[in-house]
Amino acid sequence: MEMKFDNLDLKILSIVSQNARVPVKEIAERCDVSRAAVHQHLARMRANKMIADRGFRVNPRDLGYGICTFVGIRLEKASMYKAVVPCIEAIPEVVECHYTTGAYSLLIKLYATDNVHLMEILSDRIQSIKGVSSTEAMVSLEEGFLRNLPIPEVSNMPSRRRKSR
C-alpha cells in the first residue's frame, strides 16, 4: 500500500529530519497544530515505515573503528543473493548492504578497527561465504558529508512507481 503524504506530514518530516530529538510540543507550535495531531502523524508514519526509528548515530571512530570500507561483492550467481545477505548481516561490523546493478552484486559498508581486523573480516568472514566469488575493498579516507534527503512540498513530490515495502 502506497503511503499518502499531506502537507503536515512533510512539515513534520522536515523538522525531525534536521533534529530527531525535537520535542513534539515544538513541532506542534512550528506547524500550528495540536500535539495530538503531531503524535497521530508520527505514529502513522512510523507504522508505514516512512520514519525508521534507528536511534542515535554513534561515531564509529569514537568506538575504536578507525577504518570505514566499502566492499563490492561479486556472487557466483545473482540468484544466490537471498542466501548470502543473511550471512553478511550476521557480521556486526557491516552496517549497510545493497543489492546493486553493475560490476558487483552487493555493495556493503563496514567498519574495522585496523588493517588486520579489516583483512580478517574480508578473508575469514566475507570471502568464506558460500556463493561469494570475489570482493573489492575501497577504504574511505574521510566522510565528506552525510545528510537526509530534502523534504519537498506535496506538489513537488516525485512520483512513486513501485510498491511500498
Side-chain angles (χ1 to χ4, degrees), residues 16-31:
V16 298
S17 70
Q18 298 299 311
N19 177 4
R21 295 186 297 161
V22 66
V24 170
K25 179 182 177 189
E26 183 180 329
I27 297 169
E29 289 169 358
R30 289 171 58 182
C31 294

Side-chain angles (χ1 to χ4, degrees), residues 61 66-70 138-144:
R61 291 187 193 281
I67 299 176
C68 173
T69 306
F70 295 89
M138 297 154 274
V139 173
S140 171
L141 299 176
E142 180 178 18
E143 181 179 276

Side-chain angles (χ1 to χ4, degrees), residues 5-18 45 50-51 148-154 156-158:
F5 309 103
D6 62 25
N7 283 325
L8 181 55
D9 290 328
L10 296 177
K11 285 179 186 176
I12 293 169
L13 282 175
S14 182
I15 294 166
V16 298
S17 70
Q18 298 299 311
M45 288 187 282
M50 186 174 162
I51 296 176
N148 287 316
L149 287 169
I151 308 300
E153 296 291 325
V154 171
N156 296 329
M157 291 282 297

Side-chain angles (χ1 to χ4, degrees), residues 23-89:
V24 170
K25 179 182 177 189
E26 183 180 329
I27 297 169
E29 289 169 358
R30 289 171 58 182
C31 294
D32 198 29
V33 297
S34 70
R35 287 184 283 188
V38 172
H39 277 292
Q40 289 171 351
H41 281 258
L42 287 170
R44 185 175 48 82
M45 288 187 282
R46 283 186 184 106
N48 286 299
K49 299 185 179 173
M50 186 174 162
I51 296 176
D53 287 330
R54 294 192 177 165
F56 296 98
R57 183 171 185 262
V58 178
N59 185 341
R61 291 187 193 281
D62 291 339
L63 298 175
Y65 292 91
I67 299 176
C68 173
T69 306
F70 295 89
V71 181
I73 300 174
R74 290 181 185 90
L75 300 178
E76 292 172 11
K77 292 187 260 179
S79 62
M80 300 181 93
Y81 161 73
K82 289 183 180 181
V84 170
V85 168
C87 299
I88 297 290
E89 188 175 17

